Amino acid sequence: MSYTVLARKYRPQAFEAMTGQEHVVRTIENAIKLDRVAHAYLFAGPRGVGKTTAARLLARALNCENGPTSTPCGTCKACTEIRDGTSTDVAEIDGASNNGVENVREIRENAKYLPQGSRFKIYIIDEVHMLSQAAFNALLKTLEEPPGHVKFIFATTEAHKLPDTILSRCQRHNFRRISAAAMLKRLQEICVLEKVNVSGSSLSLIVRQSEGGMRDALSLLDQVIAACGLSPTDADVAEALGAIDRTLIHAFAVALVKRDAKSLLTNVEEIWNRGLDLRRLAEDLAFHLRHVFVAKATGQAPDELADSDRDAVLALARESDAAQVARLFDIVHAAVWEIARAPQPKLALEMALLKGLHLAPAASLPDLIARVEKLSGGAAGAQGGRSSSANFRA
Ligand SMILES: Nc1ncnc2c1ncn2[C@@H]1O[C@H](COP(=O)(O)OP(=O)(O)OP(=O)(O)O)[C@@H](O)[C@H]1O
Ligand SMILES: [Mg+2]
Ligand SMILES: [Zn+2]
């Protein structure tokens, strides 16, 4: 049997199976229940977050033999044909390659005729922003007053490129990037179903690289399994993704907080020898410091971290000082740009990290004040106090 990529294999087959687009799903389910389905929908949002999936589910919901229903059966002729892309009444059109006025004229002609076996004739136009101006104009009239048996569902990653005339004739739904926590949960479920053993820490690396797109996340998981098999170690996964193992990133953060210059330099050397991308290291480290800062500010490790990473981040947050972490973040974040431009990236990174050791205050402000007070109290007289606080300022 041929291998199906995870993104296709795990395309949600019911509205309730969609991760993270509850606001859209709820509105559509309600519209179906109340029999108030609009004649034209626009699904807008970043790539791989469920627009096409939702369009197909809506098509099924409308044409299911037991429908219209927000829970299409998935087994009737209409449902299975839509799933397989063979329904004569549901046309999935790629707007990028069918963007001419003649393509829209064809739709217009075709839309006049009643559906062959189903309730509605449904036109799903993907990447609809690619239509030409003339094509949009040709679409306007039909979109304004389509025959009762016609529904349009448009999907786009670039809604801002659509003319206002089109926008105002559609009911628009904005799809969101999927939250890290929701995506992590979904990936964990899929790993169980696929019987692969990828640690939470590695999965959260995939989540971060996919930037909220579920398709990207699943493609990365495919890539990891292809490269490392069913039980990869964290280092394997990091390598397969061209990333740096989180344990090592954490080691950098710890060394910065604890002012351990030696360990910083050894670790830079190691990364350099392994041929890993130093800019990437700085980016990952900036992210990691951000997590520590969030943990410090909220008392909780950020949701997007795997359980195994949370404890380490929380522990470091407890040991560090907020002002110090904030300044370390600034330095490392700025280093990302410096490294990208530097003729000697390694030098730029090392210097940035070493600066991080010296710039950040040695202790928290309350600590310093306490020490100043102690000194001024203990050193008999105002003068000693003044000179020691002057030392701290220097
Ligand atoms: N919200 C989601 N919940 C669960 N899986 C999802 C979700 N969004 C995307 N996926 C996964 O990603 C795959 C691609 O999703 P889909 O085709 O719906 O994305 P899209 O938003 O249309 O992307 P594009 O803009 O690139 O066309 C699906 O087959 C599914 O595996
Ligand atoms: Mg799509
Ligand atoms: Zn059905």
Side-chain angles (χ1 to χ4, degrees):
M1 210 181 88
S2 71
Y3 174 70
T4 314
V5 296
L6 293 176
R8 275 191 62 194
K9 187 166 171 187
Y10 292 99
R11 189 187 282 285
Q13 300 296 323
F15 281 121
E16 61 176 19
M18 289 196 62
T19 307
Q21 308 295 359
E22 291 83 4
H23 59 298
V24 175
V25 167
R26 209 181 316 119
T27 318
I28 292 179
E29 283 177 339
N30 274 334
I32 296 168
K33 275 185 204 129
L34 302 171
D35 194 19
R36 299 179 69 92
V37 176
H39 59 254
Y41 282 90
L42 174 64
F43 293 168
R47 63 167 203 273
V49 297
K51 301 181 298 297
T52 302
T53 306
R56 290 191 190 159
L57 287 173
L58 176 55
R60 266 201 234 174
L62 291 171
N63 276 357
C64 175
E65 282 166 17
N66 309 311
T69 165
S70 59
T71 51
C73 71
T75 50
C76 71
K77 189 159 170 284
C79 283
T80 50
E81 284 184 353
I82 294 171
R83 184 195 61 209
D84 301 338
T86 57
S87 169
T88 42
D89 295 319
V90 177
E92 220 178 284
I93 301 158
D94 171 22
S97 49
N98 299 281
N99 62 353
V101 65
E102 66 285 355
N103 302 110
V104 171
R105 287 214 185 101
E106 199 185 315
I107 295 176
R108 234 168 41 182
E109 271 311 300
N110 183 283
K112 287 183 195 152
Y113 304 103
L114 287 174
Q116 291 185 8
S118 328
R119 220 166 276 116
F120 294 103
K121 254 196 159 126
I122 301 170
Y123 295 93
I124 300 175
I125 307 185
D126 238 321
E127 299 305 327
V128 67
H129 64 273
M130 298 292 282
L131 295 195
S132 68
Q133 193 59 47
F136 279 130
N137 289 339
L139 195 57
L140 282 183
K141 186 85 187 87
T142 322
L143 205 50
E144 177 101 68
E145 288 179 333
H149 61 265
V150 169
K151 301 281 179 200
F152 286 100
I153 310 172
F154 301 140
T156 179
T157 46
E158 303 189 53
H160 59 276
K161 289 193 179 156
L162 291 177
D164 289 343
T165 45
I166 297 285
L167 288 173
S168 66
R169 285 168 173 78
C170 300
Q171 190 180 104
R172 174 172 175 166
H173 293 276
N174 292 318
F175 284 61
R176 298 179 182 152
R177 286 183 202 284
I178 296 161
S179 77
M183 199 187 271
L184 186 63
K185 189 162 159 269
R186 179 76 186 138
L187 289 180
Q188 271 160 342
E189 287 165 9
I190 289 177
C191 282
V192 171
L193 293 170
E194 288 290 306
K195 302 193 174 58
V196 293
N197 208 342
V198 183
S199 78
S201 173
S202 284
L203 288 179
S204 74
L205 183 63
I206 291 179
V207 166
R208 188 150 51 84
Q209 289 205 0
S210 63
E211 295 182 342
M214 190 62 113
R215 186 198 295 107
D216 284 5
L218 293 177
S219 305
L220 289 172
L221 186 56
D222 263 327
Q223 188 180 319
V224 162
I225 298 171
C228 326
L230 300 180
S231 287
T233 65
D234 286 351
D236 290 343
V237 174
E239 182 123 8
L241 297 175
I244 299 159
D245 188 356
R246 206 186 261 281
T247 336
L248 196 52
I249 300 288
H250 187 69
F252 271 101
V254 171
L256 279 173
V257 166
K258 298 199 167 153
R259 296 160 188 288
D260 183 349
K262 209 162 152 225
S263 130
L264 279 178
L265 293 175
T266 327
N267 285 339
V268 172
E269 196 65 34
E270 184 189 332
I271 301 250
W272 174 251
N273 289 337
R274 277 166 56 189
L276 294 169
D277 182 4
L278 295 184
R279 176 178 165 172
R280 182 70 177 276
L281 164 67
E283 266 171 15
D284 287 357
L285 183 54
F287 257 106
H288 199 73
L289 289 167
R290 177 260 179 204
H291 294 327
V292 176
F293 196 73
V294 169
K296 186 94 206 156
T298 62
Q300 281 173 343
D303 285 344
E304 64 256 48
L305 288 177
D307 290 345
S308 47
D309 296 326
R310 304 172 71 105
D311 292 344
V313 164
L314 264 181
L316 187 59
R318 270 193 298 270
E319 281 174 41
S320 61
D321 164 72
Q324 183 192 14
V325 179
R327 297 183 69 181
L328 287 174
F329 173 84
D330 288 343
I331 290 170
V332 173
H333 193 239
V336 175
W337 297 103
E338 287 160 19
I339 293 166
R341 281 194 302 255
Q344 300 262 12
K346 180 164 172 258
L347 195 61
L349 175 64
E350 282 176 345
M351 282 317 291
L353 294 177
L354 291 177
K355 265 190 267 172
L357 298 186
H358 291 282
L359 280 180
S364 70
L365 211 51
D367 259 4
L368 286 175
I369 293 169
R371 278 160 66 182
V372 171
E373 276 171 356
K374 197 165 152 222
L375 279 171
S376 62
Q383 204 176 352
R386 231 180 287 137
S387 68
S388 48
S389 64
N391 279 341
F392 276 111
R393 235 182 279 125

